[in-house]
Amino acid sequence: MKLICCGGSNGTMDMEAKNSTKEDEAVGKHSGLGVRHFQIFLLFLALTVAYGCRVNLSVAVVAMTDAASANPDFPEYNWSEKTKSLLLSSFFWGYVITQVPAGQLARKYGGKVMILSGLAICSILNILTPICAKIGGWQLVCALRVVEGLCQGVVFPSTHTILSQWAPPKERATLGTCAYSGNQFGTILMLATSGVIAASPIGWPSIFYISGGIGCVWSVVYFFFGAGSPQECKSISAEEKKLIEMAQADEVSGGQEQPTEQLPTPWLSFFTSPAFLVLIVSHSVHNWGFWTLLTEIPSYMKNILGKDIKSNALLSSLPYVCMFAMSFVFSSISAQLNNRNCISRSTSRKLFNSIGLWIPMVTLVGLGYVNPDQSELAVVLLCFTVGMNGATYLGFNMNHIDLSPNFAGILMGITNGVANIMSIIAPLIVGFIVTNEHDPEQWRIVFFIAAGFYLVGNTLYVIFGKANVQPWNDPPAKPRRNSTPQVESQH
């Protein structure tokens, strides 16, 4: 990793500064709130809805299998730990299938159409969850979650497509952070309120009714006010539209638009590139640890720390409050380091990826040795683990664009698809390991496995990871895109 003295510059950085001068002037003329910011807010709400519908079962399943801990007036199901793990992982069975084709579908039919249809169907299915549990048991709920996963598989590629149309390059870091912070906000909202809802007179079924209902409301709002691009938007001013178009044109060398949708996809080059292969590994190990914690924290809180359903839900959401806040802190630090030319892009990616994976690795090992009567310490370690994880948004999550501006969406679809296979496996492995959910030693094994994945994954990323445009980004005889795009987004 190469360090550069603060305030210094190299050839690449000088070129970045020159290429961004015109864009800086254009953005300065229209730096206030515009239609693009409203569209990003709608995307923030979309991802809030998506993650709310995705994680609500993590808390609801506790009340569904132990009605006495919430509200005994509602149905209780005798599902084993393995069955619960199966239910929690079933969402990702469908989710991984639509990852790779979703980007091309969004490009063909428009990001708005894909994200709107996906979330609308998912929201309706959420509302039907209690009915399916009643008439078909866990088998029908499992099938329902698979279909929900299929619907949500289009969300990230569609969001990425819409962001690429609306955000000027110099604003993509900020606008991308704002949009994708909906991931954590939806998680926080659902984990914090689900326990209270389950213990209230309206019971655990209302967890699904409320989250699905909000999704339906968002779908109506987005149908009327959302737009996939400035060209589709009737309310955007001519000045703002011109700003976006001119700023995006500066990403293309010579100011000419390159028809990237016509470029042949170099599949073989993807899978023979060490830099891309370690990117897949890093994304995968991150997902293993993240989803292990996200799906299992409520059970750990209840069975090991002895927290009731209300305090369980509130405490389960606290780590994601930390991640929500820390993602903005790390983003600000990264911006300052880059603006002052303190470190190279490669060093920045590896530094923040190491913060996001190696520090949680240490805290997960410590969490494995926390006694059941040290609940406060366990909560602090969980918050620190998940909070530090937010640094990965400035690590591997940006790296797709570094390696290939032309094929960044496809690269994200591939890594996110593979990584979410880990999201399927992780809860299943927990189900096989934790045969007695009240045994701290079994949970210790779960934490150690996640820590081991973090260690190996980031070590490979630090050694083999790169942050420069790869040769396969530009096919021969095609105009070469700017090799230092300033796209920054969260997934």
Side-chain angles (χ1 to χ4, degrees), residues 48-292:
T48 299
V49 167
Y51 264 67
C53 292
R54 186 185 300 195
V55 307
N56 55 12
L57 187 62
S58 297
V59 175
V61 75
V62 177
M64 294 171 73
T65 56
D66 186 8
S69 66
N71 189 332
D73 296 332
F74 291 88
E76 179 178 324
Y77 301 97
N78 186 23
W79 294 338
S80 67
E81 196 66 29
K82 289 183 180 179
T83 298
K84 289 189 286 185
S85 295
L86 192 68
L87 288 171
L88 292 173
S89 69
S90 60
F91 174 92
F92 299 98
W93 304 352
Y95 188 70
V96 298
I97 294 174
T98 47
Q99 284 297 314
V100 176
Q104 295 182 354
L105 288 172
R107 184 171 57 185
K108 182 176 181 179
Y109 297 106
K112 175 182 176 179
V113 172
M114 297 306 300
I115 196 172
L116 179 60
S117 58
L119 283 184
I121 296 171
C122 183
S123 298
I124 293 171
L125 294 177
N126 246 263
I127 295 174
L128 297 176
T129 301
I131 299 174
C132 291
K134 183 177 181 179
I135 64 177
W138 69 267
Q139 293 91 341
L140 189 54
V141 174
C142 187
L144 191 75
R145 295 287 291 182
V146 172
V147 179
E148 288 183 25
L150 285 169
C151 295
Q152 283 211 27
V154 305
V155 170
F156 276 9
S158 299
T159 301
H160 191 72
T161 300
I162 296 170
L163 269 174
S164 69
Q165 296 293 318
W166 276 104
K170 291 290 286 186
E171 295 184 2
R172 281 179 183 155
T174 302
L175 297 183
T177 298
C178 291
Y180 285 101
S181 62
N183 299 348
Q184 283 74 51
F185 190 72
T187 301
I188 294 165
L189 205 59
M190 190 51 57
L191 291 180
T193 60
S194 292
V196 177
I197 295 171
S200 72
I202 57 178
W204 63 259
S206 295
I207 295 174
F208 300 101
Y209 299 150
I210 293 173
S211 57
I214 292 174
C216 290
V217 171
W218 174 87
S219 299
V220 173
V221 172
Y222 196 69
F223 177 80
F224 288 106
F225 298 104
S229 67
Q231 291 73 26
E232 298 175 11
C233 184
K234 297 179 180 179
S235 60
I236 189 172
S237 67
E239 181 184 12
E240 185 177 8
K241 183 178 179 181
K242 184 178 180 180
L243 156 70
I244 296 171
E245 292 175 344
M246 289 180 62
Q248 291 177 343
D250 284 342
E251 282 193 303
V252 182
S253 179
Q256 298 297 317
E257 190 79 24
Q258 187 172 354
T260 57
E261 69 278 0
Q262 299 177 10
L263 296 177
T265 304
W267 296 103
L268 182 60
S269 297
F270 290 166
F271 293 103
T272 54
S273 169
F276 179 60
L277 293 178
V278 296
L279 180 56
I280 295 175
V281 172
S282 187
H283 197 160
S284 298
V285 300
H286 167 267
N287 268 37
W288 179 285
F290 182 83
W291 285 101
T292 295

Side-chain angles (χ1 to χ4, degrees), residues 23-39:
E23 186 184 337
D24 288 338
E25 294 175 355
V27 172
K29 294 178 181 178
H30 201 288
S31 58
L33 293 178
V35 174
R36 66 189 184 279
H37 299 98
F38 177 66
Q39 295 298 322

Side-chain angles (χ1 to χ4, degrees), residues 201-434:
I202 57 178
W204 63 259
S206 295
I207 295 174
F208 300 101
Y209 299 150
I210 293 173
S211 57
I214 292 174
C216 290
V217 171
W218 174 87
S219 299
V220 173
V221 172
Y222 196 69
F223 177 80
F224 288 106
F225 298 104
S229 67
Q231 291 73 26
E232 298 175 11
C233 184
K234 297 179 180 179
S235 60
I236 189 172
S237 67
E239 181 184 12
E240 185 177 8
K241 183 178 179 181
K242 184 178 180 180
L243 156 70
I244 296 171
E245 292 175 344
M246 289 180 62
Q248 291 177 343
D250 284 342
E251 282 193 303
V252 182
S253 179
Q256 298 297 317
E257 190 79 24
Q258 187 172 354
T260 57
E261 69 278 0
Q262 299 177 10
L263 296 177
T265 304
W267 296 103
L268 182 60
S269 297
F270 290 166
F271 293 103
T272 54
S273 169
F276 179 60
L277 293 178
V278 296
L279 180 56
I280 295 175
V281 172
S282 187
H283 197 160
S284 298
V285 300
H286 167 267
N287 268 37
W288 179 285
F290 182 83
W291 285 101
T292 295
L293 292 176
L294 182 60
T295 57
E296 301 299 335
I297 279 179
S299 294
Y300 177 76
M301 291 280 189
K302 176 179 180 289
N303 298 311
I304 299 298
L305 304 183
K307 301 299 181 182
D308 60 72
I309 187 70
K310 289 183 181 179
S311 59
N312 181 352
L314 291 171
L315 290 173
S316 295
S317 68
L318 190 57
Y320 302 97
V321 174
C322 296
M323 187 175 184
F324 179 75
M326 291 304 297
S327 63
F328 290 99
V329 172
F330 287 129
S331 180
S332 177
I333 293 173
S334 175
Q336 288 297 319
L337 291 174
N338 292 332
N339 289 340
R340 300 185 182 193
N341 296 334
C342 291
I343 56 177
S344 67
R345 180 180 284 111
S346 177
T347 301
S348 177
R349 296 291 180 258
K350 294 177 182 181
L351 171 64
F352 285 103
N353 213 63
S354 298
I355 293 173
L357 294 181
W358 276 349
I359 293 180
M361 172 193 72
V362 175
T363 55
L364 279 173
V365 172
L367 189 61
Y369 289 100
V370 173
N371 295 322
D373 59 349
Q374 296 176 303
S375 60
E376 291 81 5
L377 178 59
V379 171
V380 169
L381 287 175
L382 281 171
C383 290
F384 200 76
T385 299
V386 179
M388 291 297 104
N389 223 219
T392 58
Y393 286 125
L394 298 158
F396 75 84
N397 257 330
M398 310 283 209
N399 206 200
H400 310 78
I401 302 164
D402 298 330
L403 298 180
S404 177
N406 289 335
F407 301 106
I410 297 176
L411 298 186
M412 174 56 74
I414 295 171
T415 66
N416 205 32
V418 175
N420 277 284
I421 294 176
M422 305 295 275
S423 304
I424 297 173
I425 299 174
L428 295 177
I429 294 298
V430 173
F432 282 107
I433 294 173
V434 183

